[in-house]
Amino acid sequence: MSIPADSSRTNAIDWNEASKTFDRWLPYIQPVAEALLSLADLSEGHEILDVASGTGEPSLTIARRFGSTLQITAVDGAEAMVAIANEKLRREGLSGVTFQQMKAEALAFPSNQFDRVISRFGVMLFDDSLLGLKEMRRVLKEGGTLAISVWGEFHRIQSIHLIWELIMKRLPLKERPSLPKMADLGHTGKLEALLQSAGFRQFQIRPLPLLYRFDDFETYWTITTESGTLREPLDRFTPAEQEEIKEEALQCISSFVREGKIIMENQALLANAVK
Ligand SMILES: C[S@@+](CC[C@H](N)C(=O)[O-])C[C@H]1O[C@@H](n2cnc3c(N)ncnc32)[C@H](O)[C@@H]1O
């Protein structure tokens, strides 16, 4: 096992690096974009802010559907993510949307500017989720709607949790990283408390089960481990040890096979709130 010099570091994700392969996930999480659009109840004329827009979603879905009848401003902290989103914009010739690099914790917009503020799988990843959410509330108009998604409890994110557990079993207790940031707001009551602390008084939270279908084990392994949450913990091991972990995952996967496909359930949480 090759423990990094700084073994205390947590499983931080390099989003510029992750941008290279991030789009592989888009088909799996498109149902969340649809759910957010419906929660946000968009109308022509709306001014929308999409925070942590990554390689462009859900902004691009909105722009394809509404064109320039509404105005979308999308921001993300990672330069490479913004570059990919802008490239898609140029390629598709879409209008009504702009992408720029900006941290959620310091939104460079006046208070009360946007009719809707949305974010798909961003808030739990901010360096400071509370500050980011307070900023999102600040720029929302009175009576405007916030619509966000985060991941549910970690054990309910089956496709990541399975491999994570195999990795953790091999690490001595004191070298195990804390639970991945992606699941930070999944625990019952955490998102609710955060929304309250950010100043929201009226909100609803509901789970959304997402079924991920993988054609075969190789596809599952590649998509799940090439970047993101599992990459850093896996890189603590030698290539030979990583192969052993992969073999163990293959042994476990049979319980998820239905009609020749690997089917795993990952739970998202959807929240909508009014300012
Ligand atoms: C899981 S991706 C989601 C991207 C996109 N919303 C989607 O659903 O396809 C998370 C994104 O959050 C961004 N991010 C993380 N921390 C951030 C912060 N403090 N401010 C702005 N963006 C941040 C990352 O750069 C990354 O693009």
Side-chain angles (χ1 to χ4, degrees):
M1 187 169 58
S2 55
I3 297 289
D6 176 13
S7 63
S8 66
R9 74 186 165 144
T10 50
N11 50 321
I13 295 173
D14 176 344
W15 288 108
N16 284 311
E17 186 59 28
S19 71
K20 294 176 190 161
T21 53
F22 187 78
D23 280 2
R24 287 187 196 265
W25 289 113
L26 295 184
Y28 296 93
I29 55 179
Q30 183 60 18
V32 183
E34 301 300 338
L36 287 177
L37 259 65
S38 141
L39 277 182
D41 191 20
L42 305 176
S43 296
E44 293 185 3
H46 273 163
E47 228 186 302
I48 298 158
L49 176 67
D50 178 7
V51 181
S53 50
T55 60
E57 290 295 339
S59 288
L60 292 171
T61 296
I62 300 172
R64 285 182 199 118
R65 217 157 282 176
F66 286 83
S68 52
T69 62
L70 42 69
Q71 193 59 43
I72 311 159
T73 304
V75 301
D76 193 278
E79 189 181 4
M81 288 283 189
V82 175
I84 293 172
N86 271 322
E87 174 55 23
K88 291 182 189 174
L89 201 59
R90 195 194 56 75
R91 230 179 17 234
E92 291 190 47
L94 293 166
S95 54
V97 53
T98 61
F99 291 101
Q100 51 190 298
Q101 187 182 2
M102 193 185 293
K103 298 279 269 186
E105 293 88 342
L107 296 175
F109 305 109
S111 301
N112 306 309
Q113 177 169 335
F114 296 97
D115 300 284
R116 302 288 184 262
V117 176
I118 60 173
S119 180
R120 183 175 73 174
F121 297 135
V123 177
M124 68 284 175
L125 300 167
F126 299 164
D127 299 325
D128 185 334
S129 296
L130 178 58
L131 182 56
L133 205 52
K134 280 184 174 169
E135 276 290 89
M136 289 160 75
R137 185 177 181 280
R138 178 183 66 77
V139 299
L140 193 58
K141 286 180 183 166
E142 290 293 335
T145 300
L146 173 90
I148 61 170
S149 68
V150 300
W151 285 111
E153 280 184 287
F154 191 42
H155 71 274
R156 295 186 195 280
I157 312 171
Q158 288 182 336
S159 62
I160 306 285
H161 187 256
L162 178 111
I163 300 173
W164 177 270
E165 288 290 288
L166 296 173
I167 298 171
M168 291 308 124
K169 269 201 303 201
R170 287 174 171 251
L171 284 173
L173 267 181
K174 60 179 177 15
E175 281 158 22
R176 290 184 190 174
S178 47
L179 279 188
K181 224 167 149 41
M182 70 182 290
D184 253 10
L185 294 175
H187 218 70
T188 312
K190 278 196 88 172
L191 181 57
E192 183 176 5
L194 191 77
L195 285 163
Q196 264 165 357
S197 304
F200 289 102
R201 296 291 165 259
Q202 298 173 51
F203 55 83
Q204 290 180 313
I205 300 171
R206 73 169 169 92
L208 177 73
L210 290 173
L211 288 184
Y212 280 28
R213 287 184 178 75
F214 302 97
D215 285 343
D216 50 53
F217 177 75
E218 247 348 279
T219 311
Y220 163 64
W221 177 264
T222 305
I223 295 184
T224 314
T225 62
E226 66 189 345
S227 67
T229 296
L230 296 173
R231 196 57 257 160
E232 186 277 319
L234 263 180
D235 281 342
R236 297 177 182 212
F237 296 89
T238 63
E241 288 167 331
Q242 291 185 30
E243 275 305 309
E244 286 171 19
I245 295 171
K246 184 175 175 185
E247 185 54 38
E248 287 168 16
L250 176 61
Q251 301 308 319
C252 297
I253 213 73
S254 54
S255 58
F256 297 99
V257 176
R258 309 254 180 290
E259 292 169 5
K261 303 262 189 255
I262 297 168
I263 300 183
M264 299 175 117
E265 188 174 311
N266 293 330
Q267 189 193 70
L269 298 177
L270 298 170
N272 59 308
V274 177
K275 179 172 172 184

